[in-house]
Amino acid sequence: MLPYRNSITACLATVLAAGLLSTPALAQNRSAEAVTPSLPIKAARQQPRAVTFASSPAGIKGTLVLPLTSEGDLATRAALLSEAERGAIARALTAAEFDYTDQGTLSLRGIGGWDRIHVVSTGKDLSPAAIQKLGVMAGRALMKDKGPITVLAGGLTAEAAAEIATGMGIGEYRSDLYQAKAREASAPAGTTIVSDAAEAARTAYDDRGKGLVEAMAFARDLSNEPANVVYPESFVERTRAAFAGIAGVNIEALDVPAMEKLSMGSILGSGRGSARPPRMLIVRYTGRGAPSAGPVVLAGKGITFDSGGISIKSSSGMGDMKFDMSGAASVVGAVLALSKSRAPVDVVAVAALTENMPDGNAARPADVLQAMNGKTIEIISTDAEGRLVLADAVAYADAMLNPAAIVDMATLTGSIMTALGDDYAGLFSRHDPLARQLLQAGDASGDLLWQMPLHPSYAEDTKSTIADIKNSGGSGAGAGAGAHFIGAFVKPETPWAHIDIAGMAWGGANDLKPAGASGYGVRLLEAFVRNFQPVPKVAPEE
Ligand code: BES
Ligand code: MN
Ligand code: ZN
């Protein structure tokens, strides 16, 4: 540790001499309050339905959710309905040619005492992720139902019953934060999950699902909020509020002077055009019984707005760049879920928070910056800013946290969207044993990953004639060049992976989510960290 600190001090001296870190302290210390003279506007927060697990329904009213794997399930799972009611449902299912082999729904009104009977077919895939997805769809479909909801989960495992509840909580999320109707909505009636393993199901939900529901809402709220509400300092405040009172949590937010002391010239350079000062937010959770081999570090790209900077983006669709902090929201969200459920893990979220704006103080193309690990960077495009802020985040983690692994998550490139669309996030790693664990967590959580290459040619593509590396590889493998760039700021032996979520972080409304942020990555990283097995710290063979 000491020699490294010395080298940091030495390199700080050189950097300051060379002026690479010449941050106009005045501009970066302006308080965001002073530059945001906006009236406080009140956002609606999700008011989730209260969840109860019981061995029988609380009453015959409101909405009944009836999961079916086959026609035969009706007699057993819906045994509490009368024969006439079951007969009516069976006739409706036949008439609708209800398909039991695929997830699907049929909503029936006015049967028995129920306002609605919502039949859902489980399909053939009964994995936890598939069952949770079923719950998400039901939660979303029934969001406007006024009465209580009863879910018949008899005959399903306790885990499946808990997954339905988790999914429903996630599916009930709303993104209409600033609409009068959302702000005025009253708390919805509760949900009862009827299970013959009610006690075990409640434990499973309390131990994991509930934390996931809350962390998903936290991450999506942060992403959906516009950039005049969520900027580096307010991101930090919201994080502190969300973690208040949770045991085993330590939060630190590096301000500009603290980052200057650490020679984080890359994030400081990228943040220089904004009136809102950058922050490096570090959230550590150490659970009881956690292994002591060093934490898993999750680094997130937290650009609260990406205008492109001096390499300014075209105006059409630029507003989507309020979502450019989704990686940071997901890494903090994953730690929130793990800490809320008291998982026995050691995990750190490092959120690299800046706003990328054009300004007289902004970094320009051809400027040279120096990251915390001493490497110099030629800026080709100020719009390739995610890799600039992550360079210091991963270098910090590598030097200061003795990480068992570093996984960074970022809305990094448009090019990953071209490659993988909105079905998979791109996974890049020099350490296959780490990549395998992430792919597995992807399958288990439903947040899918597809592994992409890190070809040695990306090193050629990012060679600079004036500095150690440049921040854009030009045309070619754009997502790969971005991944390679971030990897250059991690020691080769440190197990590291990069996840490009540009295609996954937000989108229009569908059966699974309202318009806006998806919360992609919260469930993936939660599952990954929970099941993490240390991998050898060896440099890959060239
Ligand atoms: N935040 C963008 C990437 C992005 C674009 C995410 C569209 C989601 C939708 C990122 O900062 C960016 O601008 N990337 C550039 C990199 C290029 C300048 C090397 C890109 O992908 O074009
Ligand atoms: Mn950009
Ligand atoms: Zn960006």
Side-chain angles (χ1 to χ4, degrees), residues 181-223:
K181 69 170 192 293
R183 281 177 288 149
E184 285 152 15
S186 54
T191 300
T192 304
I193 313 279
V194 179
S195 161
D196 19 53
E199 204 48 52
R202 178 188 308 124
T203 306
Y205 179 72
D206 285 348
D207 284 355
R208 189 168 183 202
K210 193 167 185 281
L212 276 173
V213 172
E214 291 166 0
M216 282 286 287
F218 165 80
R220 284 160 141 188
D221 276 350
L222 272 177
S223 292

Side-chain angles (χ1 to χ4, degrees), residues 61-335:
K61 62 171 182 182
T63 300
L64 184 73
V65 179
L66 178 54
L68 296 179
T69 304
S70 66
E71 211 178 324
D73 271 0
L74 190 56
T76 49
R77 193 155 299 139
L80 81 112
L81 300 180
S82 72
E83 222 177 297
E85 288 160 2
R86 280 201 303 273
I89 296 170
R91 276 197 303 283
L93 290 169
T94 311
E97 296 179 25
F98 193 70
D99 182 3
Y100 294 92
T101 65
D102 205 5
Q103 289 194 342
T105 60
L106 183 66
S107 250
L108 307 168
R109 308 275 183 170
I111 294 181
W114 305 97
D115 296 332
R116 167 178 357 209
I117 295 182
H118 190 69
V119 184
V120 298
S121 99
T122 60
K124 286 188 187 137
D125 182 359
L126 297 178
S127 65
I131 297 290
Q132 188 191 90
K133 183 175 165 204
L134 201 84
V136 173
M137 283 195 288
R140 180 152 172 71
L142 307 179
M143 207 153 66
K144 291 192 180 130
D145 287 20
K146 295 216 167 58
I149 295 179
T150 305
V151 182
L152 297 183
L156 299 174
T157 63
E159 191 192 15
E163 289 293 358
I164 293 178
T166 305
M168 288 180 76
I170 292 170
E172 285 161 19
Y173 177 79
R174 54 195 299 173
S175 60
D176 49 1
L177 301 176
Y178 293 102
Q179 289 184 356
K181 69 170 192 293
R183 281 177 288 149
E184 285 152 15
S186 54
T191 300
T192 304
I193 313 279
V194 179
S195 161
D196 19 53
E199 204 48 52
R202 178 188 308 124
T203 306
Y205 179 72
D206 285 348
D207 284 355
R208 189 168 183 202
K210 193 167 185 281
L212 276 173
V213 172
E214 291 166 0
M216 282 286 287
F218 165 80
R220 284 160 141 188
D221 276 350
L222 272 177
S223 292
N224 284 325
E225 289 279 21
N228 64 329
V229 175
V230 165
Y231 42 89
E233 287 165 293
S234 60
F235 187 114
V236 170
E237 281 163 26
R238 281 194 181 215
T239 300
R240 288 193 192 282
F243 281 88
I246 303 178
V249 174
N250 182 52
I251 299 179
E252 197 185 347
L254 305 180
D255 61 6
V256 171
M259 288 190 274
E260 281 173 346
K261 234 177 253 159
L262 288 164
S263 299
M264 293 183 169
S266 193
I267 183 172
L268 289 170
S270 170
R272 234 163 45 193
S274 172
R276 298 176 170 86
R279 290 287 184 268
M280 188 70 82
L281 170 65
I282 300 134
V283 183
R284 185 166 192 158
Y285 163 67
T286 310
R288 290 181 59 175
S292 56
V296 173
V297 176
L298 309 174
K301 170 177 172 180
I303 306 299
T304 57
F305 191 76
D306 180 12
S307 69
I310 295 299
S311 312
I312 198 161
K313 290 180 181 294
S314 66
S315 57
S316 105
M318 197 200 272
D320 281 347
M321 289 299 118
K322 73 169 182 176
F323 295 114
D324 212 23
M325 34 54 68
S326 296
S330 290
V331 299
V332 177
V335 174

